[in-house]
Amino acid sequence: MITEPSERLYGLDHLRALAIVLVLLFHYRAFKHPEWIDTIGRFGWTGVDLFFVLSGFLISGQLFKEMNSKRTISLKTFYIKRFFRIIPAYVFTLFLYFTIPFFREREALPPLWKFATFTQNYGLDVIDQGTFSHAWSLCIEEQFYLILPLFLLIVIPLKLFKYFTLLIIFLILSSLMMRLAVWNIAVAGLDENSSDFWRSWYMHIYYPTHTRLDGLGTGVLIGYFMQYSSAFKRMVHQNGNWLLLVGIVLLGVTFWICNEQASEVASVFGFTLVAVSYGFIVLSAVSESSFLSKKKSYVTAQLAALSYAIYLSHKGIIHIIQMIFDQFNLENSDMICLTVCLLGCVSVGLVYRFLIEKPFAHIKYRILKKEKLSEG
């Protein structure tokens, strides 16, 4: 149906908006804030996992559709699209961090080469080099964009694609098992109230790609079944609201299990449970029968469109606004400052959109048009 993509977009917009709000509330806890932020924002770290599930679903879905129509994947086209979507705004944010010290929410930055190679998430000492630490998730996504199409081009000629479901499940379970092993080797025995514990936990469990494959893998599995299983797709479209209910209940149970984010149970099983919970919610968002997919919202659509720019810049913007409040002896831990900070993040997101993302999108379209003409 012609209307199906737009209907699905509404649901995914709601989830992108939810994801960026969760991230904002979680990171706002690192600044002066109202007391209720500690309660509401403590599970905001799962917003990144929701982004992972969405990315896995959307990117794999695009690749599966191309495989079905063309029997192959154009790596050049895929990487051009990803480059112009991700790199310009990212490079601009790096420019701000490395040339304007006032923009930095903390003092020390990891070396530039780690940001440039998207390997900052490995060996990231968030205690001593925590500035722009939130780029760790972008590193994982970029590694995913690089590897997934290559992986598909390898398994297809080897006739391993029929085992694709098992391969992805194996990757997810491997990620869980690696967290268990790392917990016992590098984290267990450390004082949970010490900086050594948190440094090791973030460095070895929370940030590395190989321990955070749950969300992306779940999203890829959803994309695979929605593309290749008509029975699964029919079930999803007929039971959208039930899938949402299951996802919310499972997420509630998961939050209870992950009440202490860095506990052993949460560290080993939590990321998998969060990914599966959000997986059900993503399925609901793309279901024709779900109210999520039918309900259009201007607010969530705009937040979704700005989510990447806001994610990149929000810590620096919050830091600057709170510093300005300090300069004028204004209270910066109340709702007024919170509102100004959130509006500031959205405003800077709009600057990114019109000065960076849209101009580079036009360049991307021209390059892709030339590529299509040359192929023709």
Side-chain angles (χ1 to χ4, degrees):
M1 293 173 59
I2 295 176
T3 57
E4 186 175 309
S6 62
E7 287 176 353
R8 292 184 177 184
L9 182 60
Y10 300 155
L12 297 183
D13 279 348
H14 302 329
L15 297 189
R16 288 192 195 95
L18 172 63
I20 194 59
V21 169
L22 285 170
V23 169
L24 283 171
L25 291 177
F26 182 69
H27 287 162
Y28 202 82
R29 294 159 70 245
F31 302 90
K32 293 183 179 179
H33 57 271
E35 290 185 6
W36 63 266
I37 290 288
D38 288 321
T39 302
I40 302 298
R42 65 179 304 179
F43 295 108
W45 58 271
T46 66
V48 170
D49 297 83
L50 177 52
F51 274 129
F52 284 160
V53 177
L54 287 167
S55 291
F57 168 67
L58 291 167
I59 297 302
S60 66
Q62 293 172 15
L63 294 172
F64 292 144
K65 287 178 182 177
E66 185 176 2
M67 287 167 52
N68 277 352
S69 62
K70 299 181 180 178
R71 303 299 178 188
T72 187
I73 295 170
S74 173
L75 291 177
K76 188 174 184 180
T77 299
F78 178 80
Y79 291 138
I80 287 173
K81 289 180 178 179
R82 292 295 90 203
F83 177 90
F84 282 99
R85 177 68 184 97
I86 300 297
I87 301 302
Y90 177 66
V91 169
F92 178 71
T93 308
L94 285 178
F95 172 80
L96 294 178
Y97 269 108
F98 278 89
T99 62
I100 306 176
F102 188 57
F103 189 77
R104 301 171 190 169
E105 70 275 5
R106 293 179 63 180
E107 297 80 15
L109 273 165
L112 179 60
W113 70 265
K114 282 205 163 187
F115 290 104
T117 57
F118 292 100
T119 55
Q120 175 233 14
N121 64 312
Y122 278 98
L124 175 56
D125 183 353
V126 72
I127 305 297
D128 298 321
Q129 291 184 322
T131 305
F132 199 18
S133 60
H134 54 289
W136 70 271
S137 62
L138 182 60
C139 293
I140 292 179
E141 295 219 16
E142 283 298 292
Q143 294 162 25
F144 168 70
Y145 299 149
L146 175 65
I147 293 172
L148 180 62
L150 297 175
F151 176 71
L152 290 173
L153 288 176
I154 290 172
V155 299
I156 294 172
L158 295 177
K159 298 183 178 180
L160 295 174
F161 194 62
K162 59 184 177 181
Y163 303 112
F164 187 79
T165 301
L166 294 177
L167 290 172
I168 299 301
I169 292 175
F170 173 77
L171 286 175
I172 294 173
L173 293 178
S174 296
S175 195
L176 186 154
M177 295 305 297
M178 281 186 277
R179 290 196 298 273
L180 176 61
V182 169
W183 174 274
N184 290 319
I185 294 170
V187 180
L190 296 176
D191 180 2
E192 294 184 9
N193 296 315
S194 69
S195 59
D196 287 339
F197 172 87
W198 286 102
R199 181 185 290 108
S200 185
W201 186 81
Y202 275 111
M203 188 179 295
H204 299 295
I205 289 180
Y206 193 73
Y207 290 141
T209 305
H210 60 275
T211 58
R212 297 306 306 271
L213 297 173
D214 313 74
L216 290 167
T218 299
V220 171
L221 276 181
I222 293 172
Y224 175 83
F225 284 118
M226 289 297 289
Q227 184 66 37
Y228 294 103
S229 174
S230 56
F232 181 85
K233 189 173 182 179
R234 185 167 54 253
M235 180 277 295
V236 169
H237 286 312
Q238 291 175 351
N239 298 280
N241 292 324
W242 283 109
L243 289 167
L244 178 62
L245 179 61
V246 171
I248 291 173
V249 171
L250 186 56
L251 192 62
V253 173
T254 300
F255 283 175
W256 177 73
I257 293 172
C258 296
N259 186 51
E260 296 296 332
Q261 183 189 6
S263 67
E264 181 177 3
V265 173
S267 299
V268 175
F269 300 101
F271 300 124
T272 305
L273 292 172
V274 168
V276 173
S277 302
Y278 280 133
F280 277 102
I281 295 173
V282 168
L283 285 173
S284 173
V286 300
S287 170
E288 293 176 345
S289 62
S290 170
F291 78 91
L292 282 178
S293 66
K294 296 177 181 179
K295 184 67 175 177
K296 183 178 181 180
S297 167
Y298 177 81
V299 173
T300 58
Q302 293 305 310
L303 275 177
L306 296 173
S307 60
Y308 177 54
I310 292 175
Y311 187 83
L312 287 173
S313 60
H314 70 279
K315 281 187 179 179
I317 299 305
I318 294 170
H319 167 68
I320 289 173
I321 291 174
Q322 291 210 350
M323 288 288 287
I324 293 172
F325 268 58
D326 269 339
Q327 289 296 316
F328 288 93
N329 295 317
L330 297 172
E331 178 61 53
N332 57 10
S333 62
D334 60 8
M335 283 297 299
I336 295 175
C337 186
L338 171 62
T339 303
V340 173
C341 286
L342 295 181
L343 290 174
C345 291
V346 172
S347 299
V348 172
L350 289 169
V351 172
Y352 270 70
R353 175 192 287 180
F354 290 107
L355 295 186
I356 301 171
E357 293 178 340
K358 283 198 170 184
F360 278 97
H362 290 311
I363 296 172
K364 176 187 71 175
Y365 293 139
R366 287 200 295 268
I367 293 174
L368 291 175
K369 187 176 180 179
K370 288 180 181 179
E371 287 294 319
K372 190 172 182 179
L373 289 174
S374 64
E375 290 176 1

